[in-house]
């Protein structure tokens, strides 16, 4: 008798294939809010669903502020082939802020793309904020993200994303892989803005090209959309000036089209971009919707 011997014939090809098959996550989270029963109360939860690795938490509403839901991804980040989907809805005459517990990390992929979809809806008379923290792309990451924003009637949406190109503290830059970040914005079912950032191939050349990112290692986008949103363009620009001292070395600009304001940021240092972006967001929500000029507590940790 020989102890500890493993017969190779015990594992056939099917079993071996199953043993090395990667674990792919398929997470989903849905949340919607409805108007409070009594005036002056925060909007109330109407629908909630989540499937691992996604969860939704509900911090206590800060004095004078609006209802908040916090998205959590317990897997610690995305790997190739992962799929994450989030749907957030502010019902009629509600006010809701959606944010995330931490930055979303996208790890190096051996081939498959990670896919993330975000669907935001603001019904008539609603105010909806989508303020996730940074998405950090490891070198070799592959991410396809699409964000759709649907506004109904007099609803309004303030939404944005920050993208960091590499683990810069480790001296790593996002030099190869895939980053596709697409937006689709509609008002009463009619498209008003579509946009996509697509980085593939020799990404570092694009990031360093003076006519492209000019050495930036982080970028951000924020939109404000709803009927007559373009009238807030000067407010957006004033807030950029006010936030400039929070992010020295950050390039930022705002433009507008019918029913939408678009703001962009670029920076070599992601933390400076985050500071300028957050300062702008706090000021803009205050000036446009008379909300406290502050960020979610998750952003202050």
């Amino acid at each position: 008798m020989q102890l500890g011997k493993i017969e190779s014939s015990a594992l056939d090809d099917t079993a071996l294939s199953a043993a090395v098959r990667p674990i792919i996550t398929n997470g989903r989270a849905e949340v919607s809010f409805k108007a409070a029963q009594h005036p002056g109360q925060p909007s109330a939860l109407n629908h909630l669903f989540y499937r691992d690795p996604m969860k939704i938490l509900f911090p206590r509403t800060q004095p004078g502020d609006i209802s908040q839901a916090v998205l959590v991804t317990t897997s610690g980040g995305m790997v190739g082939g992962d799929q994450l989907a989030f749907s957030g809805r502010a019902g009629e005459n509600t006010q809701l802020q959606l944010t995330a517990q931490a930055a979303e990390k996208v790890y190096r992929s051996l081939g498959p793309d990670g896919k993330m979809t975000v669907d935001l809806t603001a019904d008539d008379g609603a105010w909806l904020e989508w303020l996730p923290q940074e998405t950090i792309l490891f070198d070799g990451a592959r991410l396809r993200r699409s964000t759709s924003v649907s506004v109904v009637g007099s609803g309004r949406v303030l939404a944005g994303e920050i993208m960091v190109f590499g683990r810069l503290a480790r001296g790593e830059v996002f030099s190869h892989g895939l980053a596709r970040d697409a937006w689709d914005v509609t008002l009463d079912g009619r498209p008003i803005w579509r946009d996509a950032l697509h980085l593939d191939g020799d990404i570092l050349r694009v990031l360093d090209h003076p006519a492209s990112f000019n050495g930036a290692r982080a970028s951000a986008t924020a939109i404000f959309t709803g009927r007559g949103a373009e009238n807030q363009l000067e407010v957006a620009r004033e807030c950029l000036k006010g936030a400039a001292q929070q992010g020295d070395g950050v390039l930022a600009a705002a433009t507008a089209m019918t029913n939408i304001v678009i703001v962009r940021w670029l920076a070599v240092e992601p933390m400076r971009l985050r500071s300028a972006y957050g300062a702008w967001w706090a000021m803009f929500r205050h000036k446009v919707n008379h909300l406290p000029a502050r960020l979610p507590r998750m952003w202050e940790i």
Side-chain angles (χ1 to χ4, degrees):
M1 178 182 292
Q2 290 182 317
L3 298 178
K5 182 179 180 181
I6 299 176
E7 297 290 344
S8 61
S9 60
L11 286 176
D12 59 22
D13 291 343
T14 302
L16 182 61
S17 177
V20 299
R21 184 178 298 131
I23 298 174
I24 302 299
T25 62
N26 185 9
R28 182 169 185 82
E30 303 171 0
V31 66
S32 69
F33 274 65
K34 61 183 178 180
Q37 292 184 346
H38 304 287
Q41 291 184 340
S43 301
L45 180 65
N46 184 52
H47 169 73
L48 174 64
F49 170 84
Y50 54 76
R51 179 175 66 226
D52 282 343
M54 302 179 75
K55 298 184 184 298
I56 299 178
L57 305 178
F58 302 95
R60 184 175 299 170
T61 302
Q62 298 185 71
D65 219 323
I66 59 179
S67 300
Q68 187 181 93
V70 179
L71 184 63
V72 180
T73 306
T74 59
S75 60
M78 296 185 68
V79 299
D82 282 357
Q83 298 185 39
L84 300 178
F86 174 69
S87 173
R89 185 173 199 133
E92 284 191 30
N93 301 317
T94 61
Q95 297 199 82
L96 173 62
Q97 184 182 69
L98 304 170
T99 186
Q101 183 186 40
E104 184 69 60
K105 297 179 287 295
V106 185
Y107 299 107
R108 178 174 62 91
S109 171
L110 296 178
D113 299 343
K115 297 181 180 179
M116 184 184 305
T117 60
V118 179
D119 295 306
L120 307 172
T121 303
D123 289 329
D124 191 36
W127 169 273
L128 176 63
E129 292 181 60
W130 169 241
L131 180 61
Q133 301 196 48
E134 302 95 320
T135 297
I136 302 173
L137 298 167
F138 287 36
D139 195 21
R142 297 189 65 84
L143 174 66
R144 292 182 180 271
R145 179 170 61 198
S146 61
T147 303
S148 66
V149 179
S150 176
V151 181
V152 179
S154 61
R156 294 177 294 172
V157 174
L158 177 60
E161 290 281 2
I162 301 176
M163 191 169 283
V164 178
F165 305 114
R167 295 178 293 173
L168 304 180
R170 296 175 60 91
E172 176 191 278
V173 179
F174 179 56
S175 63
H176 73 282
L178 171 69
R180 181 172 178 81
D181 195 17
W183 289 79
D184 186 355
V185 182
T186 63
L187 175 59
D188 292 328
R190 297 173 62 103
I192 60 173
W193 188 65
R194 286 174 177 162
D195 181 79
L197 168 67
H198 187 99
L199 296 174
D200 199 357
D202 187 359
I203 295 173
L204 188 58
R205 183 179 66 84
V206 177
L207 293 180
D208 287 343
H209 198 286
S212 184
F213 285 78
N214 196 29
R217 296 296 181 257
S219 70
T221 297
I223 66 164
F224 174 64
T225 184
R227 290 180 183 172
E230 69 274 18
N231 296 327
Q232 302 298 333
L233 176 59
E234 291 308 314
V235 174
R237 288 173 173 170
E238 289 173 8
C239 293
L240 284 177
K241 293 178 182 178
Q245 60 184 355
Q246 300 294 325
D248 185 34
V250 178
L251 296 176
T255 189
M257 296 182 292
T258 304
N259 298 322
I260 190 169
V261 172
I262 304 131
V263 189
R264 307 277 201 184
W265 290 260
L266 283 176
V268 173
E269 298 184 26
M271 286 305 297
R272 291 191 176 186
L273 185 148
R274 176 186 167 99
S275 295
Y277 181 91
W280 178 88
W281 193 286
M283 284 186 278
F284 188 79
R285 76 192 299 258
H286 174 67
K287 290 180 178 293
V288 173
N289 199 31
H290 310 292
L291 295 171
R294 63 186 175 208
L295 297 173
R297 283 174 287 186
M298 293 296 175
W299 271 67
E300 306 296 344
I301 297 175

